[in-house]
């Protein structure tokens, strides 16, 4: 804690997983273990990139990332996500400035259910909402995300 002077979060959620998320992750895991990882990864790319930002370059980038992670890594990620704790009660203990950057078109972590609820829970928080930004805002809106991060760290 003594080393952390600022905290930046991109498309973050302080909530534990919902029953709907757990069910979707269970289905994704079963399909992946049944050999459908490529199909699952392609479907996640659609949700992660959003329709307005899905182009050949970003689809290929997402496919490379999925290939690097692999089916086993993806199953491990799903297991980790399923154990994400409910953290909202502890947010008031954060005593460093916090930047939250989130897209308002995020289908993975919808802004109304996540980022929009954080002001008031964190004492010193600055929220940047990326217009029409999907979950992969670091890819689709890199200039805006970088400006927000650099401004926060300056």
């Amino acid at each position: 804690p003594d080393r952390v002077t600022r905290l930046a979060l991109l498309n973050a959620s302080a909530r534990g997983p919902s029953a709907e998320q757990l069910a979707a992750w269970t289905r994704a895991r079963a399909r992946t273990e049944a050999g459908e990882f490529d199909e699952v990864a392609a479907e996640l790319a659609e949700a992660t990139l959003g329709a307005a930002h899905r182009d050949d370059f970003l689809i290929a980038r997402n496919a490379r990332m999925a290939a690097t992670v692999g089916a086993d890594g993806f199953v491990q990620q799903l297991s980790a996500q399923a154990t994400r704790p409910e953290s909202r009660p502890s947010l008031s203990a954060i005593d460093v400035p916090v930047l939250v950057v989130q897209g308002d078109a995020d289908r993975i972590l919808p802004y109304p259910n996540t980022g929009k609820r954080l002001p008031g829970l964190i004492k010193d928080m600055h929220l940047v909402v990326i217009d029409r930004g999907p979950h992969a805002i670091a890819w689709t809106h890199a200039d805006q995300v970088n400006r927000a991060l650099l401004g926060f760290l300056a």
Side-chain angles (χ1 to χ4, degrees), residues 102-124:
Q102 181 154 8
D104 65 2
D106 187 336
R107 290 175 43 201
I108 306 296
L109 294 170
Y111 171 68
N113 300 336
T114 54
K116 187 175 183 178
R117 294 182 178 193
L118 293 177
L121 298 176
I122 300 173
K123 292 177 202 124
D124 185 1

Side-chain angles (χ1 to χ4, degrees), residues 37 63-75 77:
F37 175 64
R64 284 191 307 274
M65 182 179 69
T68 300
V69 170
D72 290 340
F74 179 63
V75 167
Q77 175 186 336

Side-chain angles (χ1 to χ4, degrees), residues 24-101:
W25 298 339
T26 298
R27 288 189 302 274
R29 180 185 187 127
R31 289 181 60 205
T32 299
E33 290 173 340
E36 296 180 35
F37 175 64
D38 291 341
E39 293 84 354
V40 171
E43 292 165 12
L44 283 173
E46 287 186 30
T48 301
L49 296 171
H53 306 287
R54 224 174 294 139
D55 62 30
D56 290 342
F57 174 77
L58 290 178
I59 290 170
R61 177 185 252 183
N62 199 82
R64 284 191 307 274
M65 182 179 69
T68 300
V69 170
D72 290 340
F74 179 63
V75 167
Q76 290 174 4
Q77 175 186 336
L78 291 172
S79 296
Q81 289 174 188
T83 62
R84 184 179 68 227
E86 170 60 54
S87 300
R88 288 177 292 179
S90 63
L91 294 179
S92 64
I94 297 173
D95 62 356
V96 296
V98 176
L99 170 68
V100 175
V101 184

